[in-house]
């Protein structure tokens, strides 16, 4: 009961934090509100949430990384793949090695393997935190695609580096050759297991659906189990469960192209996954805040590990690590943009990165949920049973880096983003219009075939001809508007129609509420009509 109560209380804290973030008169990222609320919880009770590192890693990371891999725009990712790979792999390796040696030099009491482990957990970035910060100053789409792609890959690469660093700390030995070979197996096998498992499960699910029908609840539950199954299977074969979850998520995009799943199932599944993502990310930040009072309370003991007496030295170390991360990222981003995106710019365009563009991309590298989840996976003890060296210090520094990076981005990003532009992305409007015309023509052909078949099979052909004509007129109107040289006018008309339909839906809802209160209609009829209005409103707002 205690575990259940704590879980429910954490979920309640996530809900409250979201409401508080919206109520504040100024823009404060939801993660910071969640950390503050967790701190209040930690100060108001003597009970502490005891976090098991392996359980924490298993419960939080697979579904979050799976969803990132599933939802990231693949075309945009591949278009800027060179930039993403440079940031996600090159920058991570530079950060792990460079910051690892820097932290060990700055804090000699922290073993090199532990310092590299700390550098590995602070290397991944968190686009969800960036999105929350930039909610009132939208990030350019292309930059957000790059940040999302970077986060997806550097989450995996950073956590794989963390795995090697922990192994070196536990065994006391490290071989670069063995690590490189092991990395190939861990990464390759992990990705392959995630891809294969997703394909097998999806095809088995499709076969069952074709033969016995579809159950929405089962379909949604299967999608929730895939990341955990991929993770466990990969770990069983000593591969990367993290990369298996990422591979499974990316594969889901392609196995779902057939769209054999019912529309209602997909809508419900999206809602469930939105809730899972919101809850898990929120719980992670609330847990960080809940742990902070105990971490700060032990600051005197923690700073003693560094050979100093004043806890303010911990703040100095945090600021030094944040400054080192920012400097490395600024230099790497400048070189990366110079060699990739700007090199492809048209003649006469800017060929050297604008410092604001580099600074924005650098400050957008906010640390968040993955960093916290990673540092909490540090073992409690070594193989001989002795305490893991400098574990509390590593957790304190990682927590400080998360908070400081969030604060810096909160104040810096809105200023840097004003008026900032990236090299223009090609418009997808022509592609979208062509797809709408093609699909509309396919619909007209299918309706005509069905209309003729029904008219020939029944005694009243005029009824079916009239019904088919009404439906086809909608599609033909779309085709004529898009292909007739006035797509902008058609889009304006559709936008106005949607606004008017929403006004009508609101009037229907108000009148329906009156009928329900007056007991004019029953509960079952009311539920059916409310659902129809909900679907209509979602469609016209989409």
């Amino acid at each position: 009961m205690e575990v259940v109560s704590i879980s429910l209380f954490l979920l309640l804290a996530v809900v409250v934090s979201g409401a508080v973030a919206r109520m504040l008169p100024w823009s404060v990222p939801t993660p910071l509100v969640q950390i503050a609320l967790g701190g209040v919880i930690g100060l108001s009770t003597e009970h502490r949430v005891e976090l098991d590192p392996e359980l924490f890693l298993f419960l939080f990371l697979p579904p979050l990384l799976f969803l990132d891999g599933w939802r990231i725009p693949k075309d945009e990712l591949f278009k800027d793949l060179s930039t993403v790979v440079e940031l996600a792999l090159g920058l991570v390796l530079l950060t792990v090695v460079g910051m690892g040696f820097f932290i060990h030099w700055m804090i000699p009491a922290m073993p090199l393997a532990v310092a590299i482990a700390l550098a590995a957990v602070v290397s991944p970035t968190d686009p969800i935190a960036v999105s929350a910060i930039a909610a009132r100053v939208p990030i350019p789409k292309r930059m957000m695609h790059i940040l999302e792609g970077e986060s997806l890959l550097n989450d995996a690469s950073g956590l794989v580096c963390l795995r090697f660093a922990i192994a070196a700390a536990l065994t006391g030995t490290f071989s670069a050759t063995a690590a490189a070979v092991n990395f190939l197996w861990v990464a390759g096998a992990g990705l392959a297991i995630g891809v294969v498992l997703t394909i097998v499960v999806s095809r088995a699910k499709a076969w069952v659906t074709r033969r016995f029908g579809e159950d929405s609840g089962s379909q949604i539950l299967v999608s929730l189990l895939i990341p955990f199954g991929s993770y466990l299977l990969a770990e069983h074969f000593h591969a990367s469960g993290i990369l298996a979850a990422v591979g499974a998520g990316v594969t889901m995009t392609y196995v779902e192209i057939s769209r054999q799943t019912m529309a209602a199932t997909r809508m419900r599944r999206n809602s469930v996954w939105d809730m899972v993502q919101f809850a898990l990310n929120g719980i992670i930040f609330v847990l960080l805040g809940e742990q902070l009072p105990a971490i700060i309370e032990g600051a005197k003991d923690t700073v003693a590990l560094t050979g100093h007496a004043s806890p303010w030295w911990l703040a100095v170390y945090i600021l030094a690590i944040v400054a080192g991360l920012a400097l490395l990222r600024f230099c790497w981003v400048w070189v990366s943009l110079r060699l990739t995106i700007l090199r492809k710019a048209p003649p006469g365009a800017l060929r050297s990165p604008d410092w604001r563009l580099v600074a924005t991309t650098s400050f957008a590298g906010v640390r968040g949920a993955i960093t916290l989840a990673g540092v909490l996976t540090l073992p409690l003890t070594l193989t001989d049973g002795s305490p893991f060296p400098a574990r509390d210090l590593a957790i304190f520094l990682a927590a400080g880096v998360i908070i400081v990076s969030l604060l810096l981005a909160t104040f810096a990003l809105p200023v840097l983003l004003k008026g900032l532009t990236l090299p223009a992305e090609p418009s997808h409007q022509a592609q979208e219009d062509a797809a709408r015309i093609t699909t509309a023509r396919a619909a007209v052909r299918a309706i005509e075939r069905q209309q003729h078949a029904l008219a020939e099979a029944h005694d009243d052909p005029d009824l079916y001809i009239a019904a088919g004509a009404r439906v086809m007129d909608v599609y033909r109107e779309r085709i004529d508007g898009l292909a007739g040289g006035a797509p902008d006018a058609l889009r304006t008309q559709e936008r106005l129609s949607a606004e008017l339909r929403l006004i009508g839906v609101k009037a229907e809802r108000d009148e329906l509420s009156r009928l329900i209160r007056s007991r004019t209609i029953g509960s079952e009829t009311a539920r059916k009509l409310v659902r129809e209005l909900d679907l209509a409103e979602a469609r016209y707002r989409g």
Side-chain angles (χ1 to χ4, degrees):
M1 282 300 295
E2 183 179 0
V3 174
V4 174
S5 300
I6 291 174
S7 300
L8 294 176
F9 195 71
L10 289 173
L11 289 173
L12 177 62
V14 172
V15 174
V16 172
S17 67
V20 171
R22 293 191 299 272
M23 293 176 187
L24 293 175
W26 58 90
S27 180
V28 178
T30 304
L32 283 178
V33 177
Q34 291 165 342
I35 292 172
L37 184 59
V40 172
I41 294 173
L43 290 172
S44 60
T45 177
E46 295 180 356
H47 298 285
R48 289 286 178 268
V49 179
E50 298 294 334
L51 300 175
D52 180 81
E54 292 187 5
L55 182 61
F56 188 87
L57 179 70
F58 173 67
L59 287 179
F60 287 89
L61 293 192
L64 290 176
L65 294 178
F66 173 82
L67 190 60
D68 285 345
W70 189 356
R71 290 185 170 178
I72 188 170
K74 305 302 184 297
D75 292 338
E76 286 77 2
L77 173 64
F78 291 136
K79 180 176 65 178
D80 290 319
L81 187 60
S82 57
T83 304
V84 171
V85 170
E86 288 173 6
L87 291 172
L89 298 182
L91 181 56
V92 165
L93 292 176
L94 178 65
T95 301
V96 170
V97 175
M99 291 303 300
F101 280 95
F102 173 72
I103 294 170
H104 179 61
W105 169 81
M106 184 173 60
I107 311 174
M110 179 177 285
L112 179 59
V114 180
I116 291 177
L118 176 58
V121 299
V122 298
S123 60
T125 54
D126 186 356
I128 295 172
V130 178
S131 300
I133 291 169
R136 297 186 183 179
V137 186
I139 292 180
K141 286 185 178 181
R142 190 169 187 182
M143 179 181 289
M144 199 63 204
H145 293 327
I146 292 173
L147 292 173
E148 288 173 342
E150 176 199 3
S151 174
L152 175 65
L153 295 180
N154 70 14
D155 288 348
S157 56
L159 292 172
V160 169
C161 291
L162 170 64
R163 173 176 176 163
F164 289 126
I166 291 175
L170 292 176
T171 61
T173 60
F174 179 78
S175 168
T177 303
V181 174
N182 192 19
F183 178 82
L184 292 176
W185 165 256
V186 165
L191 287 171
I193 288 172
V195 170
V196 172
L197 179 67
T198 305
I199 292 174
V200 170
V201 170
S202 298
R203 290 188 174 179
K205 184 177 63 173
W207 181 83
V208 172
T209 298
R210 284 195 303 269
R211 295 198 55 155
F212 306 106
E214 179 176 308
D215 176 65
S216 295
S218 299
Q219 296 275 349
I220 296 170
L221 187 57
V222 167
S223 73
L224 292 171
L225 292 175
I226 286 176
F228 296 105
S230 301
Y231 181 91
L232 289 175
L233 187 61
E235 291 294 325
H236 177 74
F237 289 103
H238 305 289
S240 171
I242 298 300
L243 283 173
V246 172
V250 173
T251 307
M252 279 294 289
T253 303
Y254 298 101
V255 299
E256 287 285 305
I257 290 177
S258 62
R259 300 299 183 193
Q260 294 176 345
T261 306
M262 291 192 305
T265 299
R266 290 198 299 273
M267 293 172 62
R268 293 169 185 166
R269 185 178 61 192
N270 287 336
S271 299
V272 169
W273 272 107
D274 287 340
M275 181 271 296
V276 169
Q277 183 182 43
F278 175 77
L280 293 184
N281 275 297
I283 287 175
I284 288 175
F285 286 110
V286 171
L287 282 175
L288 169 58
E290 192 272 340
Q291 301 284 308
L292 276 181
I295 293 174
I296 295 174
E297 185 179 347
K300 290 185 178 180
D301 296 332
T302 302
V303 78
L305 297 173
T306 68
H308 298 286
S310 173
W312 288 106
W313 276 100
L314 295 175
V316 173
Y317 293 146
I318 290 171
L319 293 177
I321 293 172
V322 171
L325 290 170
L327 180 61
L328 281 177
R329 187 172 177 85
F330 187 92
C331 296
W332 190 273
V333 167
W334 190 92
V335 174
S336 178
L337 293 178
R338 182 71 178 82
L339 295 178
T340 53
I341 294 178
L342 296 177
R343 186 181 61 185
K344 302 173 184 176
L350 183 67
R351 292 283 178 171
S352 180
D354 180 358
W355 73 269
R356 288 178 63 216
L357 174 62
V358 179
T360 300
T361 310
S362 301
F363 278 110
V366 177
R367 275 63 188 179
I370 302 300
T371 292
L372 180 60
V375 76
L376 291 176
T377 62
L378 291 176
L380 298 172
T381 60
L382 298 173
T383 52
D384 60 1
S386 60
F388 191 86
R391 184 179 188 271
D392 291 341
L393 178 60
I395 293 175
F396 188 99
L397 295 178
V401 167
I402 293 171
I403 295 172
V404 172
S405 68
L406 281 169
L407 289 172
L408 284 176
T410 299
F411 295 106
L413 275 184
V415 175
L416 293 170
L417 284 169
K418 286 185 178 179
L420 180 67
T421 57
L422 273 176
E425 289 188 89
S427 174
H428 297 295
Q429 192 60 59
Q431 183 185 76
E432 179 182 330
D433 291 344
R436 289 182 183 276
I437 292 172
T438 302
T439 54
R441 286 172 175 164
V444 169
R445 290 193 297 269
I447 293 169
E448 282 180 339
R449 288 194 299 269
Q450 184 66 12
Q451 178 192 53
H452 293 154
L454 291 173
E456 292 174 359
H458 295 82
D459 296 332
D460 191 2
D462 293 340
L463 173 64
Y464 301 99
I465 293 174
R470 287 181 58 190
V471 178
M472 286 189 290
D473 284 344
V474 176
Y475 287 106
R476 286 176 176 142
E477 182 181 349
R478 180 197 299 177
I479 295 170
D480 293 341
L482 294 174
D488 292 337
L490 177 63
R491 280 190 287 273
T492 301
Q493 182 181 356
E494 289 180 345
R495 178 177 57 81
L496 293 174
S497 297
E499 293 177 0
L500 293 173
R501 288 178 184 275
L502 284 173
I503 293 174
V505 168
K506 184 179 183 302
E508 286 187 79
R509 199 182 294 279
D510 292 341
E511 182 63 19
L512 182 60
S513 298
R514 188 190 67 79
L515 294 175
I516 294 172
R517 287 194 300 269
S518 64
R519 304 290 180 91
T520 305
I521 59 175
S523 58
E524 185 63 24
T525 301
R527 187 190 65 80
K528 178 182 177 181
L529 295 178
V530 166
R531 174 171 171 76
E532 289 178 0
L533 291 176
D534 290 341
L535 292 173
E537 183 175 348
R539 175 190 174 188
Y540 298 131
R541 288 190 184 279

